[in-house]
Amino acid sequence: MFNLFKKKKEEKHRGDQYLSLKVREIVKETSDTVSVFFEQPEPFLEYKPGQYLTVILDLGGKEVRRSYSLCTSPFVDPHPGISVKRVEGGLVSNYFNDQLRPGKTIEIMKPLGHFTTDFHSKNKRHFVMIAGGSGITPIMGIAKSALINEPESKVTILYCSRSEDQIIFKNQLEKLQDQYASRFRVVHNLSQPTSSWTGLKGRLDSNKVKDTLTNILASDTNPLYFVCGPEGMMETAIQALESMGMPKELILKESFFTDIDAKEATLKASGKLSPELTREIEVIVNGESHRFEVPAGKTILEAGLDLDVDMPYSCQSGLCTSCRGKLISGKVDMIEDAGLSESEIAEGYILCCSSKPASSDIKIIIE
């Protein structure tokens, strides 16, 4: 009887964070990118434009999780959708591009993420968005939401792709330009265009960002910046914006990749990490306490999963915040905190996937 009660309790907690979605339609965006649209569950899936969801698949007898940004707008699109770009050797991205079919039911973790904003019909803003490759995915949802909710606001996208046939959402972007001619603009930059291409070409650099945006922003007083794409492109774009005097708090960024091992090595070499020791900690997940040891060198998440503690997670690289918990006592070394806002860090939140114990009195609450 106790085991049955415990199982039902675990299923209830899991239901608070997880749900199943049925694939409605799969759209081929480019040769290596598909958009997957889901049937709306009951009740409707709630999300903010720019957020991501985590898919959970059983592939080859092993559970795998990946986070993908929603490309849809809850204010415009009837069905939520994600876009998945093929990654060489990528287990999940290749499955989505080659094997997934309509009718399949997929388990997900409910949407999360801070790469978003609130909208109001009285706002008069300029959404300035710089995207590269699949970084256009969350940008699309935010752009459509801004255009429909804020009739006095404008949207400009500087979008970097490899070639003409690799422009994700090409048709959708063209339709938005036709529909919102005076309020929506896309400037494409191609790194490997055909000889007939007359637009921006080559690698994105600071001068291109400045030249493209200076005239566009000349008469604007209320811009808001969104940057998403490959790490190098994002660094270039953010540095250019900051050199133009754009306040840091007006620049929102979303990273899809980070080399957490390299960052840890750098921190270790500079003496900024505590000695790696085996420590016992307490983690409270949805009200249930778990005490366990974290072996030297392992993260809190790794140790918990090794012991079958049902801790939420996805990217395991410090970006998605699925494993976010609040540090009630003790100290940790957090290798990567890119997924957290400054206010969250100040409030004591940590990412279990990139945190290692640095003291012996650690208590973490995950809700």
Side-chain angles (χ1 to χ4, degrees), residues 283-339:
V283 178
I284 300 174
V285 183
N286 294 314
E288 186 172 348
S289 175
H290 304 269
R291 288 184 176 274
F292 56 88
E293 284 190 344
V294 180
K298 286 209 168 189
T299 66
I300 292 167
L301 177 66
E302 287 172 333
L305 295 180
D306 285 346
L307 297 171
D308 294 325
V309 179
D310 189 20
M311 299 171 65
Y313 72 95
S314 178
C315 74
Q316 295 183 273
S317 59
L319 296 177
C320 75
T321 73
S322 298
C323 64
R324 188 188 80 156
K326 191 165 188 177
L327 186 65
I328 303 302
S329 63
K331 179 185 176 184
V332 302
D333 287 329
M334 185 159 46
I335 311 302
E336 179 59 74
D337 60 10

Side-chain angles (χ1 to χ4, degrees), residues 37-219:
F37 298 95
F38 300 99
E39 298 284 2
Q40 277 286 5
E42 182 61 42
F44 270 29
L45 179 70
E46 293 185 3
Y47 67 95
K48 294 180 179 181
Q51 289 190 311
Y52 64 88
L53 54 78
T54 298
V55 299
I56 305 169
L57 302 172
D58 185 342
L59 298 178
K62 180 181 179 181
E63 181 184 284
V64 291
R65 303 187 182 199
R66 297 292 187 274
S67 297
Y68 294 106
S69 294
L70 287 143
C71 61
T72 48
S73 164
F75 308 105
V76 177
D77 302 298
H79 305 286
I82 59 176
S83 294
V84 181
K85 183 178 176 67
R86 187 191 303 275
V87 176
E88 185 176 354
L91 187 64
V92 176
S93 67
N94 280 284
Y95 171 78
F96 270 86
N97 275 269
D98 298 333
Q99 301 179 46
L100 187 65
R101 298 290 182 269
K104 170 74 173 180
T105 297
I106 295 178
E107 186 176 20
I108 69 160
M109 285 184 66
K110 292 180 179 179
L112 295 168
H114 302 296
F115 192 64
T116 186
T117 187
D118 294 323
F119 302 92
H120 196 284
S121 60
K122 293 184 179 180
N123 287 342
K124 186 176 182 180
R125 299 186 283 181
H126 192 161
F127 290 77
V128 180
M129 312 171 113
I130 304 176
S134 58
I136 191 66
T137 305
I139 295 292
M140 280 297 293
I142 299 168
K144 288 188 285 186
S145 300
L147 292 168
I148 195 70
N149 283 310
E150 301 187 2
E152 296 298 316
S153 292
K154 297 188 295 185
V155 175
T156 295
I157 301 176
L158 173 56
Y159 182 25
C160 302
S161 306
R162 186 166 66 246
S163 57
E164 291 95 322
D165 62 350
Q166 292 297 308
I167 298 175
I168 304 173
F169 308 132
K170 186 174 184 292
N171 292 335
Q172 287 191 53
L173 291 168
E174 291 175 351
K175 288 179 181 178
L176 288 174
Q177 288 187 103
D178 291 339
Q179 184 178 357
Y180 300 99
S182 63
R183 298 173 50 217
F184 182 76
R185 179 181 180 182
V186 180
V187 179
H188 291 284
N189 181 80
L190 304 184
S191 59
Q192 300 174 25
T194 61
S195 57
S196 61
W197 178 255
T198 58
L200 295 177
K201 62 183 69 174
R203 185 177 179 179
L204 186 73
D205 56 32
S206 294
N207 288 333
K208 282 183 183 176
V209 175
K210 294 176 184 178
D211 292 344
T212 302
L213 299 183
T214 298
N215 292 333
I216 293 173
L217 297 173
S219 60

